[in-house]
């Protein structure tokens, strides 16, 4: 695997603020130390999520890791070193995952926007053989969030679901999991006009253009409404009596199921066969991937709120 350097390149911030002002390229970051239950990953690709720029802005500075820190939750890469207690992986394995167990509580000081990062073995999974590193890096946080919300809502075959924000990072996976993994009786989803075809391709039976119609005015109601955008008050108008509303947008909403993801590699293990068969697919924004040198531009684009699927940064290193 070659020598592991003592210093690495990473994007870091030393103060909170706008990503375009505080994110800096640092060519001399100490390589993170591997704990007994962790592996060291040579990072090939990473993806970014809204939580990354909210963390940069200081939204949860009271529980953040000490500064300076390198952001990034989602990673895909190659194991170059294993801790003494690690059993699931060996050097040379291609892996992916969300490296922070608790998203808001002491995330890693060196995240995935670095040449090397560490992660506990139970947060990772073997990369599906049919996916590129860029595709794999797009998945962990969003697909795990989609799965966790469906589980918490008690979703199952023959139930119907409405996905608010169907073309986003989480929404694209809620549609696919509900349809192709859980066997939903009906999947409806909202997006802007240009993204309706994507929703249908992912498995939506009903694609709703939110610029033209209000989903809450539809006569049809749903067993579950999964709100990825933060309009939970309206979501309750579209749910059946006794149905469930899930939201992932803080601070939550009265009577809704609200959660912050706890990262878990076992979810990725569970979904591996669906990913390898092509039943569930990664969705990368057409502008992806951004090269590592354009990480600031990638953040600025993500912050527009107009992203389809995921923003991926690749290559960070060559495989």
């Amino acid at each position: 695997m070659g020598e592991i350097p003592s210093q690495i390149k990473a994007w870091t911030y030393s103060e909170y603020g706008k990503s375009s002002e505080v994110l800096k390229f640092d060519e001399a970051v100490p390589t993170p130390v591997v704990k007994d239950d962790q592996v060291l990953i040579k990072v090939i690709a990473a993806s970014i999520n809204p939580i990354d720029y909210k963390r940069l802005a200081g939204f949860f500075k009271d529980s953040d890791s000490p500064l300076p820190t390198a952001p990034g939750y989602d990673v895909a890469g190659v194991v170059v070193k294993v801790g003494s207690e690690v059993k699931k992986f060996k050097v040379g394995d291609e892996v992916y995952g969300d490296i922070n167990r608790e998203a808001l509580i002491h995330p890693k000081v060196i995240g995935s926007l670095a040449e090397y990062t560490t992660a506990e073995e139970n947060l990772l999974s073997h990369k599906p053989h049919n996916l590129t590193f860029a595709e794999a890096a797009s998945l962990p946080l969003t697909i795990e969030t989609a799965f966790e919300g469906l589980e918490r809502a008690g979703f199952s075959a023959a139930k119907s679901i409405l996905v608010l924000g169907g073309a986003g990072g989480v929404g694209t996976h809620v549609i696919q999991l509900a349809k192709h993994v859980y066997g939903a009786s009906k999947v409806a989803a909202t997006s802007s006009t240009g993204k309706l075809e994507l929703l249908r391709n992912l498995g939506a039976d009903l694609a709703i253009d939110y610029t033209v119609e209000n989903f809450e005015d539809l006569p049809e109601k749903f067993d579950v409404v999964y709100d990825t955008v933060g309009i939970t008050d309206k979501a309750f108008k579209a749910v059946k009596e006794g149905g469930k509303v899930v939201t992932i947008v803080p601070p939550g909403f009265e009577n809704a199921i609200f959660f912050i993801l706890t990262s878990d590699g076992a979810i990725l293990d569970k979904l591996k066969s669906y990913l390898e068969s092509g039943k569930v697919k990664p969705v990368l924004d057409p502008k992806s991937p951004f090269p590592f040198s354009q990480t600031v531009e990638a953040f600025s684009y993500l912050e527009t709120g107009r992203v389809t699927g995921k923003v991926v940064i690749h290559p960070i290193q060559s495989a």
Side-chain angles (χ1 to χ4, degrees), residues 112-159:
S112 58
L113 295 175
E115 291 181 314
Y116 292 83
T117 190
T118 55
E120 290 74 16
E121 69 171 332
N122 58 13
L123 306 184
L124 300 172
S125 182
H126 292 277
K127 180 178 79 65
H129 64 80
N130 58 317
L131 299 186
T132 65
F133 283 101
E135 288 171 331
S138 76
L139 292 168
L141 187 148
T142 49
I143 204 168
E144 290 179 39
T145 300
F147 180 86
E148 176 76 11
L150 290 166
E151 287 291 293
R152 285 175 181 247
F155 199 71
S156 58
K159 286 188 177 177

Side-chain angles (χ1 to χ4, degrees), residues 22 27 41 51 57 81 91 110 140 145 167 185 215 222 256 274 290:
V22 300
E27 299 193 37
I41 302 163
I51 195 169
K81 189 176 181 182
V91 170
I110 303 301
T145 300
S185 60
F215 67 85
F222 300 87
Y274 296 96
F290 286 78

Side-chain angles (χ1 to χ4, degrees), residues 272-319:
K272 191 178 182 192
S273 63
Y274 296 96
L275 292 162
E276 291 193 332
S277 69
K279 280 199 172 92
V280 176
K281 297 179 174 69
V283 181
L284 274 62
D285 186 273
K287 287 194 194 306
S288 285
F290 286 78
F292 195 37
S293 61
Q294 288 180 20
T295 295
V296 173
E297 289 86 344
F299 267 84
S300 296
Y301 179 55
L302 180 65
E303 287 162 13
T304 65
R306 295 280 167 256
V307 172
T308 301
K310 287 298 296 288
V311 172
V312 172
I313 295 162
H314 170 81
I316 291 178
Q317 296 195 75
S318 54

Side-chain angles (χ1 to χ4, degrees), residues 218-239:
L218 293 173
E220 186 174 3
K221 304 303 171 194
F222 300 87
D223 294 305
V224 173
V225 181
Y226 198 130
D227 173 22
T228 74
V229 291
I231 46 175
T232 319
D233 53 337
K234 290 182 179 175
F236 276 99
K237 295 175 182 167
V239 75

